[in-house]
Amino acid sequence: MNAGRAVGLLLGVAADAVLGDPERGHPVAAFGRLAERAERVVYRPSRSAGVLYTGVLVGGSIALGSVVERSARRGGPATQAALTAVTTWTVLGGASLGREGAALARHLESGELEQARVRLRGLCGRRTEELDRQGVARATVESVAENTSDAVIAPLLWGAVGGIPGLLGYRAVNTLDAMVGNPSSRYRRFGWAAARADDVANLLPARATAGLTALCAPVVGGSAAGGWHTRRRDAAAHPSPNAGQVEAAFAGALRIRLGGRIDYGHTAQIRPVLGEGRTADGGDVTRSVELSRVIGTVGGALAAGLALFAGRSPRR
């Protein structure tokens, strides 16, 4: 049984909740700087250049994780737990997501629209200058939903089945998607590999997150049935095969409507309406943050259980 990995995942979740992100020398930020330098060297407006860029950076992250994992195993369960915990802490984003979402809810409840618009830019890549209060609230709930999958459940699941290499490899894929995976003129071809890799890496985690959203909804006064029903009915209409799953589940769980026009600066989209009922407001942002935290806690426990199950030795 892989008790060291399971304990490490739980400790990493606890460290993220208590300590938040490292204040200095964040490994993900360091990876981002490395990726920026690599982009300057290999960038060409072609898919082949993007495949090389993504493959080297993701492959290097997995290789580094494999070296650390082997060292951890040689050191015994305690060492494995400690190194897995540190890695989990550095790749999770649950605490920072909750902090930003809660701050946005306070701005909206206090009528501080301009402050909310500015703060929202740190949570998503949309233009916010023309958003009204309901627009900011809707964008925030959508971002909280998507990032609950991308920054919490997905790394935990990859950590459960892949250990430290899974944690680092997933975070590399997700970071590169955020950096170059958008459909702007510069990255439409170069970022194709990063975007597709992120789609594949999040295929199962997004659906697991949607299921956990419905399961946990009653804890925050939401509707489990609404989460299940809205995900089944509306998720496929979303242009993203993964974001649509969790956004639809959050919409149904919170009994609100999401979707509509989104302006990214380089492009604008008209998203289909997800859910039914009223438009999101500041109170719904607060509930989405609470729901995200509950999902993260339950997801951490399930990931630890999965790590134990995946690490069982087959009977001879």
Side-chain angles (χ1 to χ4, degrees):
M1 297 179 68
N2 207 332
R5 180 183 296 176
V7 172
L9 289 170
L10 290 174
L11 291 175
V13 171
D16 179 61
V18 175
L19 303 175
D21 290 335
E23 294 184 2
R24 295 183 180 179
H26 198 304
V28 176
F31 175 82
R33 291 191 293 270
L34 174 63
E36 288 176 346
R37 289 195 290 269
E39 180 187 341
R40 290 195 290 268
V41 173
V42 306
Y43 175 81
R44 302 289 187 279
S46 69
R47 286 187 176 183
S48 59
V51 169
L52 174 64
Y53 169 81
T54 303
V56 169
L57 288 169
V58 174
S61 299
I62 294 173
L64 174 61
S66 298
V67 171
V68 176
E69 181 83 13
R70 285 196 295 270
S71 299
R73 287 179 176 177
R74 285 196 295 268
T79 301
Q80 185 179 19
L83 290 176
T84 301
V86 171
T87 307
T88 303
W89 171 46
T90 58
V91 304
L92 285 183
S96 59
L97 175 63
R99 182 180 64 249
E100 292 302 306
L104 275 156
R106 289 193 297 270
H107 287 314
L108 290 172
E109 294 289 355
S110 301
E112 300 167 345
L113 179 58
E114 188 54 39
Q115 292 92 324
R117 287 170 172 167
V118 172
R119 191 115 194 186
L120 179 59
R121 294 169 196 158
L123 195 59
C124 63
R126 311 180 189 188
R127 289 187 60 188
T128 64
E129 295 87 348
E130 298 179 358
L131 293 178
D132 58 14
R133 289 181 63 185
Q134 290 181 328
V136 171
R138 175 176 65 84
T140 303
V141 173
E142 290 170 352
S143 297
V144 168
E146 184 174 1
N147 282 290
T148 299
S149 177
D150 290 358
V152 183
I153 299 302
L156 287 172
L157 292 182
W158 279 104
V161 299
I164 294 173
L167 289 164
L168 294 184
Y170 172 76
R171 181 48 63 201
V173 167
N174 191 244
T175 301
L176 292 180
D177 177 60
M179 294 177 66
V180 305
N182 63 73
S184 65
S185 58
R186 177 176 174 83
Y187 295 126
R188 185 170 292 113
R189 296 182 64 80
F190 182 77
W192 174 85
R196 297 292 78 77
D198 187 74
D199 285 344
V200 172
N202 282 292
L203 197 65
L204 292 178
R207 285 148 184 81
T209 305
L212 287 173
T213 299
L215 179 69
C216 298
V219 178
V220 298
S223 169
W228 287 114
H229 173 71
T230 304
R231 185 195 67 80
R232 290 196 304 269
R233 185 190 66 192
D234 296 343
H238 196 284
S240 168
N242 298 323
Q245 295 285 324
V246 288
E247 289 181 21
F250 264 69
L254 299 177
R255 302 185 184 94
I256 57 176
R257 284 182 290 115
L258 300 175
R261 188 177 189 275
I262 298 176
D263 188 349
Y264 289 104
H266 53 78
T267 185
Q269 299 177 0
I270 303 297
R271 297 273 180 86
V273 174
L274 307 177
E276 53 196 13
R278 56 187 175 76
T279 305
D281 58 21
D284 296 310
V285 172
T286 298
R287 289 201 300 150
S288 73
V289 171
E290 293 172 348
L291 179 56
S292 176
R293 287 171 173 158
V294 174
I295 292 168
T297 301
V298 175
L302 292 177
L306 179 60
L308 288 173
F309 178 81
R312 289 193 307 176
S313 299
R315 293 184 178 179
R316 296 182 181 273

